Amino acid sequence: MDTPIATEEVSTEHTPIATVSMPEDEPSSEQQAVSSASRHLRTYRGGFHSSICDIFRDPHRRTDCCAVACCGVLSSDRSRYLLTGERPPPLWSRVLVYLIIPALFIVAMNYFAVDVVGVDGQMQKTISLPIFGTLIAYIIVIATYGFVKNQSTRKEIMTKLYEERSRARGEVVNPQEVQTLLNRHGLDITRAHCFGTCCHAYDQDYYDETGMISPDSMEEDDGFEEDFCTRLWDCLSKTFWCCGWCQCCGICALAQEEREVERLTGNEQHKIDYLTFQPYSEYYPSIASLRENQIRSPWKHLEAISDLSSKLLKNVAAVLVVLLLFALTDIDSNFTWENMIVLLLTLGQAFFIEYLVHWRWNRFDLSFDSVVKYFACGFLLTTPMAVIFEMIVSTLAGIFVLALATLVVASDSELANEFASDPKNGMKQLTVNHPGIFIFMQFVNAYFVAALVEEMVKYFGYRMVVTPDLIPRGRSSPLSTVDGSPKSAKSTGAGITVAMVSVALGFACCENLMYVFVYSPPSLGVEISTLLARSFFPVHPLCAAIQSIGVCKRDLEGDKRYGIGRIISPAILLHGTFDFVLMLAAYYQQVENIEEGNDDDGNAIQDNDASADLASQLPALLVGVVLVITGYLYYVVQSRAQNLRLVAMDNAVRDQNSLLV
């Protein structure tokens, strides 16, 4: 994932960008203008120019999405680097600290577990309490370390803000007053990064250094136009907190700090990658030259990629080599060389579609470097986000459905008695005799838990990544290349489509791996059939392509009516309907099995009846095929109409330039 930020020229790797753009001695005229303009910005508690509750407030702002991914770790690393020049720990160090050591603790707990006799007389495993206590202490230590580092970054930002205000007023910065300010806001600094706390309900009032409400705090609002995402986040964050705004892992504070660091360091123009912090100017000229000269050699495109993409590809190769060695050694009987082939086929399915969409059809509309970053974002960042959000939404939906089922059971005395005597049989009767509950549950799972969440996180994945090919340039001219070279609207639209499809392919690839190796039984035949079934219905990339139509209407055609709601709605409709049909078919198949007595393990259908089971699922599969074809035709029609409009825009610009010449 690469976004952001740096000054116009970053000539040295280890120099803090904040120092480059804001020298302590004589500020430039541009910086003086920024300091003067800062007097007219609305101020909030701590001196920030945006509220801690402003996450997702501005639909045009991309950095808020980055604060949500990975609990804001990448966002915090970038803010700290831009402000102080401090680089994050290397990847191997974080893998060791956050993955390997906790995994070793868990293995040790299982290894040293002792057998004890349970209440029911059965032997049970009991974990080692000293090892478990040590694991808890270790987690507390690393969490405290991260908490202290985040506090330090917030204090540094508040210090910079105080210095900016002092310069704007022509005053000398007094270190003692800075420390007094930090002490006065000590509770705010602590609360900002606490887990599961409320953001400040009184954040709308900014208290200045004297402890009084600043008159600047109530100046004009930013005037952002709220969209569907803004209202949805506002609703969810305030659902369980009457006093303000619920935050988790300090993501609201991290987003606020990232917005402020961008403004302080002058990095709104997005000039460096994430993680490696490599300036675009170091590698994008080679990419632009390949596009300008229409060079088709894959090796040339591979040589021109950034350090971030290079590290991503090398890590993928290293992981595949380790897995191959693991499969050949037969350490685990559930992962052999046959399973390794299935894994490679799963990856190959995504790479083949990527080859067609990018290299075959749109090679020069989006660079190979950008494709690697978008795909990696979909695989590594959007999938965990989807899992977490789906767990939250499904839990809330499950509570509601459970309450509804409880009311139904309470109103049916015969069913209630059956539940009291035999809960398993009572559940079967509820499933057969009250289909409305389960159909409603499948509807919620299909359209809200799966479609809404997954389409939103895929959209977030596209928004999180900023590359030199599609760098934002403000609201009036949203997209362009980093070097300012001319790029047609049609080519830019194709680049947006490739980018969004790449995110979706990364997400779908990771999801397919989970379905094949985690959710499916450890059987080679089941793994292959699962892969074939999921490969035959490329719903995720198709929905992403449909989303790109709305994104192009907003960012290229300037249609302000297209917010995130309108952009993702057609994709949600297609995705949700596809999932609902399959879930509904599975429900009726389960009802049929219950009525025939084939739902228990002892009465399971035999292998020779598998063809009959497949025949019962065939109508749902045919409906799925029809839905996929319908979605594809919808995209083709909309895409062709949009291409005509984009070509007309390009012709109008060309005619205007010819008249000027």
Side-chain angles (χ1 to χ4, degrees), residues 446-447 451 571-583 623 627:
Y447 284 95
I572 291 175
L573 181 62
L574 173 62
H575 190 167
T577 305
F578 179 84
D579 286 353
F580 182 62
V581 169
L582 297 182
M583 291 178 181
V623 173
L627 287 173

Side-chain angles (χ1 to χ4, degrees), residues 50-280:
S50 65
S51 172
I52 197 172
C53 303
D54 273 355
I55 186 169
F56 298 123
R57 183 68 57 189
D58 181 7
H60 301 275
R61 191 166 53 215
R62 294 180 176 230
T63 53
D64 290 345
C65 302
C66 305
V68 178
C70 293
C71 298
V73 173
L74 301 180
S75 173
S76 177
D77 287 345
R78 188 188 67 172
S79 296
R80 193 174 297 113
Y81 174 78
L82 291 173
L83 203 63
T84 65
E86 177 186 352
R87 286 186 173 272
L91 179 61
W92 67 264
S93 174
R94 283 186 162 168
V95 171
L96 175 66
V97 172
Y98 296 107
L99 293 180
I100 296 180
I101 293 180
L104 291 177
F105 273 113
I106 295 174
V107 172
M109 284 191 298
N110 293 330
Y111 182 79
F112 292 103
V114 295
D115 293 326
V116 297
V117 180
V119 179
D120 55 356
Q122 300 293 328
M123 298 298 294
Q124 299 178 352
K125 289 276 189 182
T126 302
I127 62 175
S128 173
L129 291 180
I131 298 178
F132 178 74
T134 306
L135 174 60
I136 296 299
Y138 177 79
I139 294 175
I140 292 175
V141 168
I142 60 177
T144 303
Y145 174 76
F147 179 73
V148 171
K149 290 203 71 173
N150 287 335
Q151 279 190 317
S152 175
T153 303
R154 193 168 185 86
K155 290 179 181 179
E156 184 70 23
I157 295 173
M158 292 175 65
T159 300
K160 293 287 186 182
L161 291 171
Y162 178 84
E163 294 171 354
E164 181 188 52
R165 292 194 302 273
S166 298
R167 284 196 301 269
R169 294 193 296 259
E171 300 174 354
V172 178
V173 177
N174 189 334
Q176 186 176 1
E177 291 183 358
V178 173
Q179 189 59 45
T180 302
L181 173 68
L182 296 178
N183 292 337
R184 180 178 295 117
H185 291 280
L187 179 60
D188 300 337
I189 296 172
T190 302
R191 292 172 58 186
H193 294 284
C194 286
F195 178 85
T197 59
C198 284
C199 296
H200 318 310
Y202 45 84
D203 195 28
Q204 301 301 320
D205 297 329
Y206 166 57
Y207 292 81
D208 62 14
E209 298 78 34
T210 64
M212 304 298 292
I213 296 180
S214 169
D216 295 335
S217 64
M218 300 308 294
E219 292 191 11
E220 75 271 5
D221 198 355
D222 296 321
F224 296 139
E225 297 179 2
E226 296 185 354
D227 64 354
F228 172 76
C229 180
T230 305
R231 298 185 182 95
L232 181 62
W233 180 267
D234 194 26
C235 176
L236 293 177
S237 60
K238 294 181 178 179
T239 300
F240 303 105
W241 298 86
C242 59
C243 59
W245 190 281
C246 174
Q247 65 171 334
C248 179
C249 300
I251 60 175
C252 297
L254 292 175
Q256 181 192 35
E257 292 162 8
E258 190 170 21
R259 295 191 296 268
E260 206 64 48
V261 168
E262 281 192 335
R263 191 190 62 81
L264 283 170
T265 58
N267 289 289
E268 295 90 344
Q269 296 301 317
H270 304 278
K271 295 285 187 173
I272 63 174
D273 285 339
Y274 263 117
L275 299 177
T276 59
F277 308 120
Q278 182 185 16
Y280 292 166

Side-chain angles (χ1 to χ4, degrees), residues 514-534:
M514 294 171 61
Y515 272 96
V516 170
F517 293 103
V518 178
Y519 300 146
S520 299
S523 169
L524 183 63
V526 174
E527 291 175 356
I528 294 177
S529 61
T530 302
L531 174 61
L532 291 176
R534 297 189 63 82

Side-chain angles (χ1 to χ4, degrees), residues 262-539:
E262 281 192 335
R263 191 190 62 81
L264 283 170
T265 58
N267 289 289
E268 295 90 344
Q269 296 301 317
H270 304 278
K271 295 285 187 173
I272 63 174
D273 285 339
Y274 263 117
L275 299 177
T276 59
F277 308 120
Q278 182 185 16
Y280 292 166
S281 57
E282 288 187 4
Y283 65 89
Y284 187 70
S286 300
I287 294 176
S289 176
L290 293 174
R291 186 187 71 214
E292 182 179 355
N293 297 315
Q294 298 289 295
I295 297 177
R296 298 179 175 272
S297 170
W299 302 113
K300 294 294 183 180
H301 286 263
L302 187 61
E303 291 175 354
I305 63 176
S306 62
D307 291 343
L308 176 58
S309 295
S310 177
K311 289 183 177 181
L312 288 170
L313 294 177
K314 290 178 181 178
N315 286 327
V316 170
V319 170
L320 291 178
V321 170
V322 171
L323 290 175
L324 179 61
L325 295 176
F326 184 79
L328 294 177
T329 54
D330 290 333
I331 297 177
D332 187 354
S333 59
N334 292 325
F335 190 81
T336 62
W337 65 271
E338 293 95 342
N339 303 108
M340 184 66 191
I341 293 176
V342 175
L343 186 147
L344 294 176
L345 290 175
T346 306
L347 297 176
Q349 181 258 354
F351 295 161
F352 177 72
I353 298 177
E354 189 72 77
Y355 163 78
L356 294 177
V357 173
H358 171 247
W359 191 258
R360 180 80 179 216
W361 299 327
N362 302 286
R363 186 178 313 180
F364 300 107
D365 297 317
L366 191 71
S367 66
F368 176 70
D369 174 77
S370 297
V371 168
V372 172
K373 293 170 181 174
Y374 280 110
F375 187 94
C377 178
F379 191 97
L380 299 174
L381 298 183
T382 61
T383 306
M385 288 171 58
V387 171
I388 294 173
F389 289 144
E390 283 181 345
M391 288 176 58
I392 296 173
V393 177
S394 62
T395 300
L396 296 176
I399 293 174
F400 179 79
V401 173
L402 180 61
L404 183 61
T406 303
L407 293 176
V408 172
V409 173
S411 62
D412 190 337
S413 58
E414 182 178 349
L415 184 59
N417 293 333
E418 187 65 31
F419 262 99
S421 60
D422 188 354
K424 186 175 181 180
N425 192 50
M427 190 65 192
K428 293 179 182 179
Q429 291 190 18
L430 181 66
T431 303
V432 174
N433 299 327
H434 299 276
I437 297 176
F438 294 91
I439 293 176
F440 175 74
M441 182 176 66
Q442 303 302 341
F443 178 85
V444 172
N445 287 334
Y447 284 95
F448 295 94
V449 177
L452 176 61
V453 172
E454 292 178 4
E455 295 308 319
M456 284 197 69
V457 297
K458 286 190 296 183
Y459 174 82
F460 284 168
Y462 163 73
R463 293 289 291 175
M464 280 191 290
V465 181
V466 178
T467 66
D469 296 293
L470 300 173
I471 190 168
R473 289 293 194 184
R475 302 183 188 184
S476 59
S477 180
L479 295 170
S480 66
T481 57
V482 70
D483 59 352
S485 58
K487 191 175 182 181
S488 67
K490 184 177 183 297
S491 176
T492 305
I496 292 174
T497 301
V498 174
M500 301 192 74
V501 170
S502 298
V503 173
L505 285 172
F507 176 84
C509 182
C510 186
E511 187 182 56
N512 288 345
L513 290 174
M514 294 171 61
Y515 272 96
V516 170
F517 293 103
V518 178
Y519 300 146
S520 299
S523 169
L524 183 63
V526 174
E527 291 175 356
I528 294 177
S529 61
T530 302
L531 174 61
L532 291 176
R534 297 189 63 82
S535 301
F536 191 67
F537 299 103
V539 176

